[in-house]
C-alpha cells in the first residue's frame, strides 16, 4: 500500500478531494483484496459457497468501475462499459470452465482486461494501476479456487 500511496502522490493527477477520496478508498480495498483473496483460507471460504454467491460479489464491484468512471474520470462511459463487459465475461468464463482450466482462463481474462486498459481505453497517467489490481483481485485471486498444497517430504 505504501508503494501505491507513493505512486499516487508522485503522479501528475489533477483532481479535487472527491476524486482523491474515491481513488484512495478503492486503492486500499484493491491492495487488501488482492492480499486477502489470494490466501488459501479465503479461497476455501469463498469456494465453499455456490457459484452465484461468487458472481454476486464480482457484480457488486461494478460500483468501483462506476465510481472510477463517473467520479474520478468525469463520465467515461466507454471505459465503464468496456470494463464492465470484461469483468462479467471473465467471471462467467472462469465459473463455467472445468476446475483444471480455471487458472488459465483467469489468467487469459486478466491479460485481456489489463491490455485493453493499456491500449483501447487507457487511464490517465497515475491511474494505470487500477485495472491491474482490480482484475487481479477479482479474476485471479478471488475466482480461482485453492490449489492443493503438499509439504515437501
Amino acid at each position: 500500500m505504501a508503494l501505491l500511496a507513493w505512486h499516487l502522490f508522485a503522479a501528475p493527477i489533477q483532481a479535487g478531494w472527491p476524486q482523491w477520496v474515491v481513488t484512495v478508498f478503492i486503492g486500499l480495498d484493491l491492495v487488501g483484496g488482492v492480499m486477502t483473496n489470494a490466501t488459501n483460507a479465503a479461497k476455501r471460504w469463498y469456494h465453499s459457497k455456490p457459484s452465484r454467491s461468487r458472481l454476486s460479489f464480482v457484480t457488486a464491484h461494478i460500483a468501483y468501475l462506476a465510481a472510477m468512471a463517473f467520479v474520478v474520470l468525469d463520465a467515461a462511459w466507454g471505459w465503464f462499459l468496456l470494463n464492465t463487459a470484461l469483468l462479467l465475461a471473465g467471471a462467467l468464463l472462469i465459473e463455467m470452465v472445468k476446475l483444471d482450466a480455471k487458472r488459465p482462463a483467469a489468467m487469459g481474462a486478466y491479460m485481456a482486461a489489463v491490455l485493453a486498459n493499456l491500449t483501447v481505453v487507457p487511464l490517465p497517467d497515475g491511474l494505470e494501476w487500477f485495472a491491474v489490481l482490480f482484475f487481479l483481485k477479482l479474476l485471479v485471486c478471488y475466482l480461482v479456487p485453492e490449489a492443493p498444497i503438499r509439504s515437501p517430504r
Side-chain angles (χ1 to χ4, degrees):
M1 191 59 223
L3 287 173
L4 181 57
W6 175 76
H7 178 74
L8 286 173
F9 290 113
I13 300 172
Q14 301 296 321
W17 70 266
Q19 292 84 6
W20 275 105
V21 169
V22 168
T23 302
V24 169
F25 173 80
I26 288 175
L28 283 168
D29 182 76
L30 293 180
V31 170
V34 165
M35 298 306 294
T36 301
N37 292 330
T39 66
N40 285 331
K43 289 179 174 294
R44 279 191 299 273
W45 171 258
Y46 290 127
H47 290 272
S48 69
K49 300 178 182 317
S51 176
R52 69 181 177 277
S53 174
R54 287 188 298 280
L55 290 174
S56 295
F57 179 80
V58 170
T59 302
H61 281 76
I62 292 173
Y64 284 40
L65 295 174
M68 288 298 288
F70 302 113
V71 175
V72 177
L73 301 176
D74 195 29
W77 275 100
W79 182 88
F80 173 74
L81 293 172
L82 179 62
N83 279 288
T84 298
L86 288 165
L87 176 64
L88 296 178
L92 288 171
L93 171 70
I94 296 161
E95 287 295 300
M96 290 176 17
V97 298
K98 293 181 180 180
L99 181 62
D100 58 347
K102 287 188 184 293
R103 190 174 313 277
M107 293 308 295
Y110 173 69
M111 287 187 295
V114 169
L115 289 171
N117 275 275
L118 291 174
T119 57
V120 180
V121 287
L123 287 165
D125 289 343
L127 295 175
E128 52 281 295
W129 55 268
F130 173 82
V132 174
L133 296 179
F134 181 78
F135 289 102
L136 179 63
K137 172 189 174 179
L138 296 168
L139 300 181
V140 178
C141 296
Y142 178 72
L143 288 174
V144 176
E146 172 188 22
I149 298 174
R150 293 187 193 146
S151 298
R153 296 181 194 233

